Amino acid sequence: MLGVGVKLFLFQPQTGNIISVFRSAAEKSLSVQQLIDGQEMLVLVLVLVVLQFEGTRGEELHLYHREGENVVLPSERPSSSYRCSIVNWLYNRDTSTIYSEVRNGKVVQSSPRASRLNMDSSCSLTINNITADDAGRYICRPGSGSHTSLDGFVYLSVLSISDSDPTMEHFTLQCSLWKYGGLDSCSEKSFRWLDETGTELTGKTDDRSSRLRCYSSLTVKHQSDENRRFTCQLVEGNKVKVEAQHIQVHLYHRAGDEAVLPCNRPSSSDSCSSVDWKYKRNENMNKQEVHRGIVQSSPRSSRMSLDRNCSLIINNINADDAGWYRCSYNTDVHLNLLIISSSPPDADPTVNNFTLACSLLRFRSGSCPDKSLLWLDETGSELTGEGDGYKSGGQFGCVSFLTVNLQSSRRFTCQFIEGNKVKIEAHYQHEGCCSVSSSGPPASSPLSFIMLTLKITGLILMVGLTVGIIRTRGRKKPQKDIKVRFAADDDTVDYENDGERSAAAALH
């Protein structure tokens, strides 16, 4: 529907200012006399009468998204008759320089974000995997020219979270809102921090503001016995505009397990092509295992893959896999590995004493609390000090020793306990041998012959039963043990126990 628009310019002689006023002809309640009422007489000059599509004047649209999401900037086309081939998209971060992102319906390849831009059939502009550098003002302009009355303005603000060093005991999270430089600064208390229970964290923040961004800092303490989630919310008028999360996950496994390391990828992302995974085994080691969704070449790359959620899967884990992992979407995963070994490895337990070592391999090898590694016998009784067939060697850092002398079948269990919870356990099983002694009449008597025959028959039966049991055991599937499963759905993060494929945790 067409409507007549009138553009009026008011000239004020005393100040020399020219004031532009635009009103639709439909606003009949506004008269020229009302425009010039006041203490000072203004000279009204009718400069131009224009035709304009009613309601097509580009409105200001403000969008808020978190880093890593895909964003659609809607086009303010006057009507369906406008072809996208005449549409231009412009961008500027502040009030000074303006850049062309789309010219005559085609993405400008010289743009730093060209590979992530796409214009759909409605002339809306899509930006994939947004970063802080994408924040700013976008102008949708149908037709050529330096300025038209049909311009549509979209202001994109991007929320991101960064950290100082999450491997340290105390580290700082910084939540930043990147915005267009011509907008007002953020108001006080624009940011709100929540923990994994939804409880607001107060008295620990430091809020700042500048022309291009507003930010809030939160200092937290690393706690290895808990999975933590810190949420930063941008609030305007008691309404949450956007939020971002920083997640810490602690996984505990045994050698040979399959480990699934979760990644907090935004739900709007349609692929893992922007996902990176980094790995640290210690302070002096920093490797990139996955870059842009591709597993990098390394001695263990054949055991690594990404699932559809961009989680990192490591098969048949061993001592080389323990450490700290970082997904590019603000998720830190600490992979801890519990193993039992014997010293010497080929010791004969029926003759010699030998020592079992229970080790928890983690990013900080000496960061296990005292008495966090416990030894239990097959009855579940804790083994401390010295007792029948064993002697405790104590705990040193993340290693605990137990000296044993096995004369029969016995099982020893090592548990890692933190926060009064058993995080993981492993078993050492020794199968002892049996000896049979007999006494009776001399072998030359008939009774001796009968007894010998019975013994041979019994021995044959025992061998047959043993072979059958071994074959039956070989066909059985391993029993499922403890597994920690991580599930993320948009703004919800759950941690729960589930069954897993058990590996050969017992070392013989």
Side-chain angles (χ1 to χ4, degrees):
M1 176 179 179
L2 293 180
V4 178
V6 181
K7 184 165 289 187
L8 303 177
F9 291 86
L10 302 180
F11 177 70
Q12 191 173 17
Q14 291 185 350
T15 62
N17 292 332
I18 296 178
I19 307 170
S20 175
V21 180
F22 181 85
R23 291 290 185 270
S24 170
E27 297 175 286
K28 298 180 180 179
S29 61
L30 182 62
S31 66
V32 174
Q33 184 60 42
Q34 287 175 312
L35 287 173
I36 62 177
D37 278 346
Q39 295 181 356
E40 298 179 353
M41 180 62 69
L42 298 177
V43 178
L44 175 63
V45 181
L46 178 60
V47 177
L48 181 64
V49 177
V50 294
L51 290 178
Q52 179 178 337
F53 291 94
E54 184 176 36
T56 61
R57 172 70 178 176
E59 296 182 356
E60 292 184 357
L61 178 64
H62 292 263
L63 299 179
Y64 297 86
H65 286 270
R66 63 169 169 162
E67 198 170 30
E69 291 183 328
N70 297 337
V71 178
V72 178
L73 309 181
S75 169
E76 296 292 338
R77 278 196 308 174
S79 68
S80 59
S81 62
Y82 269 76
R83 302 185 307 276
C84 292
S85 60
I86 67 169
V87 171
N88 301 286
W89 276 97
L90 309 173
Y91 165 80
N92 58 333
R93 185 63 183 270
D94 50 34
T95 57
S96 58
T97 308
I98 188 167
Y99 301 92
S100 180
E101 302 292 337
V102 174
R103 186 180 298 116
N104 296 328
K106 295 183 178 180
V107 174
V108 177
Q109 295 304 311
S110 60
S111 168
R113 58 182 65 85
S115 61
R116 297 183 289 111
L117 295 180
N118 179 52
M119 196 169 70
D120 62 22
S121 59
S122 66
C123 308
S124 297
L125 182 64
T126 300
I127 311 176
N128 294 316
N129 188 29
I130 61 172
T131 67
D133 293 333
D134 297 322
R137 183 178 69 172
Y138 293 81
I139 305 171
C140 179
R141 177 170 299 168
S144 59
S146 60
H147 174 76
T148 74
S149 59
L150 302 181
D151 282 355
F153 298 91
V154 182
Y155 295 86
L156 176 61
S157 297
V158 180
L159 191 70
S160 67
I161 288 184
S162 60
D163 53 65
S164 52
D165 186 352
T167 63
M168 302 296 292
E169 184 177 2
H170 289 86
F171 62 97
T172 300
L173 298 175
Q174 192 169 92
C175 180
S176 302
L177 181 74
W178 303 88
K179 60 187 185 64
Y180 174 60
L183 296 177
D184 294 336
S185 299
C186 299
S187 59
E188 291 186 14
K189 299 182 179 179
S190 294
F191 294 96
R192 183 165 59 194
W193 287 93
L194 308 175
D195 64 12
E196 60 276 359
T197 67
T199 303
E200 184 174 359
L201 304 175
T202 59
K204 301 179 181 180
T205 62
D206 178 26
D207 296 355
R208 303 284 179 88
S209 183
S210 65
R211 188 169 56 89
L212 295 177
R213 73 164 179 149
C214 311
Y215 62 94
S216 177
S217 299
L218 176 72
T219 300
V220 297
K221 181 180 180 181
H222 178 79
Q223 295 176 320
S224 60
D225 62 329
E226 294 183 4
N227 295 321
R228 302 299 306 272
R229 179 182 64 194
F230 299 97
T231 301
C232 172
Q233 295 179 337
L234 177 76
V235 181
E236 285 188 4
N238 295 322
K239 183 178 180 180
V240 177
K241 293 293 186 179
V242 64
E243 67 180 26
Q245 296 176 338
H246 177 89
I247 296 176
Q248 291 183 332
V249 180
H250 294 267
L251 299 181
Y252 294 86
H253 283 280
R254 293 180 293 269
D257 286 352
E258 176 189 271
V260 180
L261 284 58
C263 180
N264 187 31
R265 185 190 63 156
S267 58
S268 66
S269 298
D270 54 5
S271 72
C272 299
S273 59
S274 60
V275 171
D276 292 342
W277 275 97
K278 294 181 179 180
Y279 166 69
K280 275 187 176 183
R281 177 141 183 213
N282 50 54
E283 297 289 351
N284 300 321
M285 177 182 180
N286 194 352
K287 294 180 59 180
Q288 185 146 5
E289 300 292 350
V290 176
H291 181 57
R292 296 187 179 275
I294 300 176
V295 176
Q296 303 299 290
S297 177
S298 72
R300 57 198 187 120
S301 59
S302 61
R303 297 186 289 112
M304 291 185 172
S305 62
L306 294 180
D307 65 13
R308 60 184 181 87
N309 296 317
C310 306
S311 299
L312 180 62
I313 301 175
I314 310 176
N315 294 311
N316 192 26
I317 60 174
N318 56 47
D320 293 333
D321 301 318
W324 171 85
Y325 294 79
R326 150 72 55 99
C327 172
S328 52
Y329 290 116
N330 302 314
T331 302
D332 296 324
V333 182
H334 294 258
L335 180 57
N336 304 276
L337 184 68
L338 189 69
I339 60 174
I340 296 179
S341 59
S342 62
S343 178
D346 55 350
D348 182 0
T350 63
V351 178
N352 302 316
N353 292 338
F354 67 103
T355 300
L356 298 176
C358 179
S359 306
L360 183 73
L361 306 179
R362 63 195 324 184
F363 179 71
R364 289 190 181 89
S365 59
S367 60
C368 296
D370 189 28
K371 298 181 180 179
S372 58
L373 291 169
L374 304 181
W375 287 98
L376 308 176
D377 63 12
E378 60 274 4
T379 67
S381 300
E382 184 178 352
L383 303 178
T384 58
E386 186 174 358
D388 182 22
Y390 76 88
K391 180 179 180 181
S392 174
Q395 178 180 334
F396 302 90
C398 290
V399 183
S400 180
F401 298 96
L402 183 70
T403 300
V404 296
N405 187 345
L406 304 181
Q407 301 297 332
S408 61
S409 299
R410 298 200 62 179
R411 187 179 79 163
F412 295 93
T413 299
C414 176
Q415 293 181 339
F416 175 71
I417 299 178
E418 197 168 22
N420 296 321
K421 295 181 181 179
V422 177
K423 298 295 186 179
I424 187 71
E425 65 180 23
H427 309 288
Y428 183 91
Q429 181 82 41
H430 168 68
E431 299 292 342
C433 58
C434 302
S435 60
V436 178
S437 60
S438 61
S439 60
S444 57
S445 67
L447 181 60
S448 298
F449 177 80
I450 295 174
M451 292 297 296
L452 179 61
T453 302
L454 290 175
K455 288 181 179 180
I456 294 174
T457 303
L459 181 61
I460 293 173
L461 290 175
M462 288 179 63
V463 171
L465 289 173
T466 302
V467 171
I469 291 174
I470 292 175
R471 289 179 178 177
T472 302
R473 287 183 177 178
R475 289 194 296 268
K476 288 185 178 180
K477 295 182 178 180
Q479 187 177 358
K480 295 186 176 181
D481 278 300
I482 299 173
K483 178 180 179 181
V484 179
R485 183 169 63 85
F486 174 96
D489 185 10
D490 293 337
D491 300 323
T492 303
V493 178
D494 298 319
Y495 302 93
E496 60 184 9
N497 287 333
D498 199 357
E500 74 167 356
R501 291 171 286 180
S502 177
L507 304 178
H508 300 285

